[in-house]
Amino acid sequence: MKKSLIISIAALFAAIACSPKTDWAPAGDHIKTRWAAEVNPLKPWSEYPRPNMVRDEWRSLNGLWRYAICSREAVQPEAWDGQILVPFAVESSLSGVGKTVPSDCALWYKAGFKVPRKWNGDNLLLHFDAVDYESDIYINGKHAAHHTGGYSPIIIDATEYLNGEVNELLVKVIDDTDDAVQPRGKQVNNPQGIWYTPVTGIWQSVWMEPVKPAYVKSYYTETSLESSRLIVCVDTEGVLDEDRVVVELLEGAVGYDALKPSKKVVAKAMGTPDSMFFIDLGEVHTWSPDSPYLYGLRISVLRDGKAIDVVEGYAGMREIAVVEDEAGIKRMALNGEPLFQYGPLDQGWWPDGLYTAPTDEALLYDITTTREYGFNMIRKHIKVEPARWFTHCDREGILVWQDMPCLEDNHLNEWKFTQPNDGTDYPVTEEQKAVYYKEWTDIINEHRAYPCVVVWVPFNEAWAQFDTEKVVEYTKNLDPTRLVNPASGGNHRNCGDILDMHHYPEPYMYFKDPDHCVVLGEYGGIGCPVEGHLWKADNNWGYVKFEDFGVVTDKYVEFTEILKGLVKEGFSAAVYTQTTDVEIEVNGLMTYDREIDKLDPARVSAAHKSVIESM
């Protein structure tokens, strides 16, 4: 009895020691979005983090943790510097810290977490949805995981490391940004021009869930509209030979009701674990920007006829392909019909959260605003968003081109060319290639389940572009159901599905290619600084700059008229730079704080409709 009491008191003190105070406030004096005021430090990002694969039981671990910045050689910090709000990177305002980690230092986190008693007997999965870049995770003093990659999740079966109800979590993070071989997108240690503030540490949700020893790890779907068939590929963990998996397709709906489908089962299939399940349909509801219909999807693991794990998600019946039009021009087709894809270059940066939107409402806002402007596509530019962003796109009916975050920049040098089959590969090391392939594989596998994703973009311009034909073949083998844009605006090779040109500011076509869909992967960049809504008061820039919103809209519409002519000549898609201002770039449709629309949405939407219908 005394021993039990001593253990309980020790656990109580451990919980108190791991629970920071709640006196949190945003750091720094940069502009902020309206949603910054809605951030609750006791439960930031409290929404379910993985809405395409839902279990009933879960707990968020987001909130105030302790942090320390100390020598990389330290086994653990000797003292803690204060508190940090997870999941915001340490450099961000919303972290409450706003500090840059010196190049010879590591960032440490500390938190306590309690495992609900009702989860006793289950395995515990601990999720870190994104940590930039190299992390070591300790649970109750034991090393539980080592991970590299700033854009792929970490999932740990923490069961063997637990001490019962109250536990301690330590995380060590090293991030060299542009001083190493890692993929880092637009992050640099010296922000300027089109290069932005580093993002170090945890920047997506941390959470946990209980599972049985046998459970569903992941799934993805493939569509055959010709045979009215949905193929569901399920990956499981810990199953026995005699276990069975049941996949049920449920009646769905358009838009936000889609994740609350009726319980009516449309079709189902049963088979052995880790199988491909063929769901044959009669009448098919396709998914498209005009009608983003999503079926409900329920996957169960059965043992002795009883469900021991159940996840609920969704699926969209849609196909992306290349077709020839009447003039023999290659076009991108959605569900068998040519569709001009038109969208903004969306970098996904926030003045208060950097890589992390302040709230889920803020994350959705950029997508719904994109739709209000009349776009049907987003090019997610050398960054990868949280799972909820992709689900929002699925619900809203937005097509997504997903870029691979670049290894490093060789911007505006001799490796960038504008002629087909020209240009020299960047001298990437074998170590860099291995890092690239690892992270690109993780990104593709993690996002194959989202209907919105229709194009993979392995390289942007010629930034660290290497072995293009091999990378494209690898991408195609990994996911043959989507199109590959080998190098958006980069060295053009005779591979993949798309030939992509960049031109600023007005639309322009360098050349035609009968073997590929030809697209304008970047253009525009009409700059307009708005006083009171700037990251910095001076040194702001755009590819062209105006001071009057009316003139900006006039110039934008003028560009769409040019583009309409080029669509007739062969362009199958266009990407305008960009959704919002980012740091000192002021060429956004909106200001960086999302407070001001710099263009007239009604005029721009009408212009977009005219372009899309011109193909």
Side-chain angles (χ1 to χ4, degrees):
M1 187 72 176
K2 289 182 180 179
K3 182 178 180 181
S4 175
L5 179 62
I6 291 171
I7 292 175
S8 298
I9 293 173
L12 175 63
F13 276 109
I16 294 172
C18 293
S19 300
K21 299 178 181 179
T22 58
D23 52 338
W24 165 89
D29 56 2
H30 282 301
I31 57 171
K32 296 174 179 61
T33 66
R34 75 197 76 160
W35 299 281
E38 299 175 7
V39 173
N40 182 349
L42 296 180
K43 52 176 185 178
W45 275 100
S46 57
E47 296 84 4
Y48 193 84
R50 188 190 56 198
N52 73 329
M53 200 174 106
V54 178
R55 289 188 175 93
D56 290 337
E57 288 289 332
W58 74 288
R59 293 288 186 277
S60 173
L61 297 181
N62 296 336
L64 290 163
W65 296 25
R66 287 198 169 93
Y67 86 94
I69 299 172
C70 60
S71 168
R72 293 186 179 187
E73 307 306 319
V75 176
Q76 281 192 35
E78 294 182 359
W80 296 93
D81 297 340
Q83 58 186 8
I84 184 170
L85 187 60
V86 170
F88 298 101
V90 68
E91 295 91 347
S92 73
S93 171
L94 291 178
S95 71
V97 180
K99 294 180 181 177
T100 299
V101 180
S103 60
D104 59 347
C105 289
L107 170 66
W108 284 82
Y109 295 84
K110 180 180 182 181
F113 67 96
K114 295 179 66 176
V115 180
R117 291 181 181 178
K118 63 180 178 178
W119 294 1
N120 287 348
D122 292 334
N123 287 15
L124 183 77
L125 298 185
L126 185 61
H127 297 258
F128 291 78
D129 284 345
V131 183
D132 197 356
Y133 169 72
E134 181 179 355
S135 54
D136 285 281
I137 298 168
Y138 302 84
I139 302 172
N140 296 318
K142 300 174 183 177
H143 188 259
H146 175 80
H147 183 265
T148 58
Y151 305 94
S152 53
I154 309 166
I155 305 174
I156 304 167
D157 187 336
T159 311
E160 65 179 289
Y161 306 104
L162 299 178
N163 280 344
E165 188 175 354
V166 180
N167 298 271
E168 181 187 79
L169 191 59
L170 287 175
V171 182
K172 178 184 180 181
V173 179
I174 292 174
D175 184 15
D176 290 312
T177 309
D178 54 348
D179 290 334
V181 302
Q182 67 202 52
R184 45 86 174 176
K186 286 289 193 81
Q187 303 175 61
V188 291
N189 289 310
N190 181 28
Q192 56 184 311
I194 64 169
W195 307 100
Y196 316 133
T197 303
V199 172
T200 301
I202 299 168
W203 68 274
Q204 289 185 28
S205 286
V206 184
W207 56 290
M208 60 184 181
E209 62 178 342
V211 294
K212 299 301 179 184
Y215 61 93
V216 177
K217 285 181 67 177
S218 64
Y219 72 89
Y220 66 88
T221 64
E222 297 179 1
T223 301
S224 173
L225 294 181
E226 183 180 2
S227 58
S228 301
R229 171 176 282 182
L230 179 72
I231 303 168
V232 184
C233 303
V234 181
D235 186 18
T236 58
E237 179 71 24
V239 293
L240 304 177
D241 290 342
E242 59 269 23
D243 291 341
R244 292 294 177 265
V245 171
V246 175
V247 178
E248 298 170 286
L249 200 65
L250 309 176
E251 190 176 65
V254 173
Y256 274 77
D257 292 333
L259 298 191
K260 294 182 179 179
S262 73
K263 297 301 180 183
K264 180 180 178 182
V265 177
V266 176
K268 70 177 182 179
M270 178 185 287
T272 57
D274 301 328
S275 297
M276 297 178 69
F277 296 85
F278 299 96
I279 308 290
D280 292 314
L281 301 169
E283 180 184 0
V284 173
H285 295 276
T286 56
W287 181 96
S288 70
D290 290 334
S291 180
Y293 187 96
L294 296 171
Y295 290 91
L297 189 66
R298 184 165 55 220
I299 305 173
S300 306
V301 177
L302 305 184
R303 179 166 293 171
D304 298 327
K306 180 180 178 182
I308 58 174
D309 186 43
V310 179
V311 296
E312 296 206 356
Y314 59 87
M317 294 291 288
R318 70 102 186 93
E319 287 182 345
I320 185 74
V322 175
V323 299
E324 279 192 12
D325 66 12
E326 294 177 353
I329 298 172
K330 293 287 177 63
R331 302 291 192 182
M332 287 187 287
L334 183 69
N335 302 330
E337 297 294 328
L339 175 66
F340 188 84
Q341 298 188 23
Y342 202 173
L345 191 77
D346 188 333
Q347 307 207 64
W349 287 74
W350 301 81
D352 35 28
L354 298 180
Y355 255 20
T356 311
T359 65
D360 186 59
E361 181 185 357
L363 191 72
L364 174 60
Y365 181 82
D366 280 5
I367 298 168
T368 55
T369 301
T370 297
R371 286 299 269 159
E372 289 168 5
Y373 268 108
F375 291 115
N376 60 13
M377 175 263 281
I378 288 172
R379 180 182 168 201
K380 180 49 63 176
H381 191 41
I382 55 177
K383 181 205 175 187
V384 183
E385 294 288 359
R388 291 192 65 85
W389 185 88
F390 289 91
T391 292
H392 288 321
C393 289
D394 285 337
R395 290 165 160 179
E396 290 293 325
I398 283 281
L399 303 167
V400 174
W401 295 11
Q402 179 59 60
D403 288 11
M404 168 65 183
C406 63
L407 287 168
E408 57 181 275
D409 159 44
N410 46 290
H411 186 55
L412 297 180
N413 68 14
E414 66 269 27
W415 284 289
K416 185 168 183 285
F417 290 83
T418 56
Q419 295 299 316
N421 300 314
D422 198 0
T424 305
D425 276 0
Y426 190 75
V428 175
T429 66
E430 291 303 313
E431 181 184 6
Q432 285 179 308
K433 290 180 183 181
V435 168
Y436 175 98
Y437 277 116
K438 175 190 178 298
E439 190 126 12
W440 190 223
T441 302
D442 289 344
I443 289 168
I444 292 174
N445 286 338
E446 189 66 22
H447 298 93
R448 290 186 65 180
Y450 298 101
C452 63
V453 180
V454 294
V455 175
W456 299 117
V457 187
F459 298 109
N460 178 70
E461 296 186 350
W463 301 351
Q465 184 180 343
F466 70 93
D467 296 350
T468 310
E469 293 88 349
K470 292 180 181 179
V471 172
V472 168
E473 182 182 15
Y474 181 85
T475 304
K476 277 286 190 183
N477 288 337
L478 201 57
D479 181 8
T481 70
R482 291 174 170 90
L483 305 183
V484 178
N485 182 354
S488 182
N491 296 334
H492 304 304
R493 297 286 188 266
N494 189 25
C495 60
D497 303 293
I498 295 169
L499 190 153
D500 186 321
M501 306 173 194
H502 292 181
H503 190 268
Y504 289 97
E506 72 279 358
Y508 184 76
M509 184 182 292
Y510 295 116
F511 50 84
K512 301 177 183 179
D513 184 338
D515 299 322
H516 296 84
C517 291
V518 179
V519 307
L520 183 61
E522 292 182 28
Y523 83 100
I526 303 172
C528 184
V530 182
E531 188 175 351
H533 301 273
L534 299 172
W535 178 256
K536 291 185 177 180
D538 53 13
N539 295 323
N540 296 287
W541 73 278
Y543 291 91
V544 292
K545 284 177 69 174
F546 301 99
E547 303 294 331
D548 180 84
F549 291 169
V551 175
V552 172
T553 300
D554 289 343
K555 180 59 67 174
Y556 188 95
V557 173
E558 177 187 322
F559 285 173
T560 63
E561 289 300 314
I562 298 172
L563 184 58
K564 278 180 14 181
L566 296 174
V567 171
K568 296 292 186 185
E569 291 186 32
F571 272 148
S572 291
V575 178
Y576 178 80
T577 301
Q578 59 187 337
T579 306
T580 72
D581 296 347
V582 182
E583 300 201 353
I584 66 169
E585 277 191 76
V586 292
N587 46 36
L589 301 166
M590 298 181 283
T591 53
Y592 198 14
D593 57 9
R594 278 73 168 173
E595 285 299 310
I596 305 293
D597 283 309
K598 294 190 280 183
L599 287 79
D600 180 342
R603 284 186 64 194
V604 169
S605 180
H608 289 163
K609 185 174 186 291
S610 180
V611 173
I612 291 169
E613 292 178 350
S614 69
M615 191 168 81

